[in-house]
């Protein structure tokens, strides 16, 4: 067992354990803060895969933006009564059994997966140029129109969020 | 060298943890958190496959997934706020207006 495999084992165990901790917390603020630790571990996993841009993006977007949004919403709501209720729905054991069965099938599929034909962006090529330059070249040459559509996809929800967050005073309840 | 299959197994297990949380929690914010866990699992498998096949298209797709996740969570949370304004609860059982 090499050092790389040991480190991968550490990230494997930590990510899975932290995700289980996240979905079983009763207090939502605790869940969000455990999720921060899980995102940092996933960013460390991206560094293994020579994707340092994605490690940075994982920290900035997920840990910086999305988690802060979750924290805002959790702290805006009054959740004292919600936290006294049981955290899981009824019929948990049946769902757990079905989930474990699907998990078994998917893990056996993932363990048997074989690689397809190799592309042209080898590790040497990415290290000679930087990862960000290679990714940007691919993104702005081959995927220009999806990138523009992505800008539209980010723009329309911004309008929708503003419209939904406006409080209608003239009609409607309260 | 870590085999590709290990990354895929991690991705699948993380996805199932997220799906389990999505189906069994009765709290709407935990549902969005579970969706985030599932999207992270997808990103791990996309970037791992992209690295092992030496092709950049998987990483471009992971980039798109991150952007769409940010937009989706923003809309979902503001819908949650709008629903909370009408009915001060975030339990899923309380939103049964369309059940008839």
């Amino acid at each position: 067992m090499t050092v790389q495999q040991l480190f991968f084992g550490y990230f494997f165990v930590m990510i899975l354990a932290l995700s289980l901790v996240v979905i079983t917390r009763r207090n939502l603020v605790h869940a969000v803060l455990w999720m921060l630790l899980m995102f940092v571990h996933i960013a460390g996993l991206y560094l293994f895969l020579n994707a340092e841009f994605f490690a940075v993006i994982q920290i900035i977007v997920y840990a910086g933006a999305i988690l802060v949004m979750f924290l805002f919403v959790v702290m805006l709501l009054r959740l004292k009564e919600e936290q006294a209720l049981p955290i899981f729905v009824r019929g948990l054991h049946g769902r757990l059994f079905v989930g474990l069965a699907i998990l078994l099938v998917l893990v056996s599929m993932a363990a048997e997966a074989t690689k397809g034909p190799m592309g042209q962006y080898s590790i040497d090529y990415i290290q000679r140029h930087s990862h960000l330059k290679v990714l940007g070249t691919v993104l702005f040459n081959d995927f220009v129109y999806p990138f523009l559509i992505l800008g539209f996809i980010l723009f329309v929800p911004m309008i929708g969020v503003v419209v939904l967050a406006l409080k209608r005073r003239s009609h409607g309840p309260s | 060298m870590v085999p590709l299959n290990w990354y895929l197994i991690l991705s699948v297990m993380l996805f199932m943890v997220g799906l389990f949380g999505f189906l069994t929690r009765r709290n709407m914010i935990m549902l969005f958190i579970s969706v985030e866990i599932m999207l992270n699992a997808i990103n791990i498998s996309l970037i791992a496959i992209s690295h092992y096949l030496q092709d950049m298209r998987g990483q471009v797709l992971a980039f798109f997934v991150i952007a769409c996740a940010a937009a989706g969570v923003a809309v979902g949370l503001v819908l949650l706020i709008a629903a909370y304004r009408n009915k001060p609860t975030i339990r899923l059982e309380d939103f049964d207006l369309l059940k008839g």
Side-chain angles (χ1 to χ4, degrees), chain A residues 23 39 62 95 119 131, chain B residues 23 25 36 40 53 59 91:
Chain A
I23 65 162
F39 284 162
Y62 274 106
R95 298 181 196 205
H131 174 249
Chain B
L23 290 179
R25 288 302 295 255
E36 289 305 309
N40 270 291
L53 292 185
Q59 300 194 4
R91 287 174 65 211

Side-chain angles (χ1 to χ4, degrees), chain A residues 107-149:
Chain A
V107 165
S108 61
M109 279 169 62
E112 293 297 318
T114 52
K115 285 196 280 188
M118 304 287 273
Q120 54 175 333
Y121 295 98
S122 66
I123 299 172
D124 271 347
Y125 181 84
I126 293 177
Q127 280 179 349
R128 241 183 301 122
H129 309 83
S130 65
H131 174 249
L132 189 55
K133 185 179 173 186
V134 174
L135 182 70
T137 308
V138 175
L139 185 61
F140 292 117
N141 282 322
D142 300 341
F143 294 93
V144 170
Y145 292 117
F147 188 76
L148 296 178
I149 294 170

Side-chain angles (χ1 to χ4, degrees), chain B residues 66-79:
Chain B
I66 289 175
C68 290
V73 167
V75 173
L77 288 178
V78 81
L79 277 176

Side-chain angles (χ1 to χ4, degrees), chain A residues 5 8 22-23 25 39 46 49 54 58 62 78 82 85-86 88-89 95 106 111 113 119 121 131 173, chain B residues 1 5 7 12 20 23-26 30 33 36 40 43 51 53-54 59 84-86 89-91:
Chain A
Q5 290 176 346
F8 179 80
V22 167
I23 65 162
R25 287 307 95 186
F39 284 162
Y46 289 163
L49 293 167
F54 281 97
Q58 179 82 14
Y62 274 106
R78 188 179 296 114
E82 310 282 337
L85 296 166
F88 288 120
V89 295
R95 298 181 196 205
L106 287 178
Y121 295 98
H131 174 249
Chain B
M1 194 66 183
N5 294 339
Y7 285 100
V12 163
F20 176 74
L23 290 179
T24 55
R25 288 302 295 255
R26 45 171 78 198
M30 282 310 289
I33 288 175
E36 289 305 309
N40 270 291
N43 270 341
H51 173 67
L53 292 185
Q54 301 181 352
Q59 300 194 4
Y84 190 85
R85 199 181 286 152
N86 283 330
T89 177
I90 58 167
R91 287 174 65 211

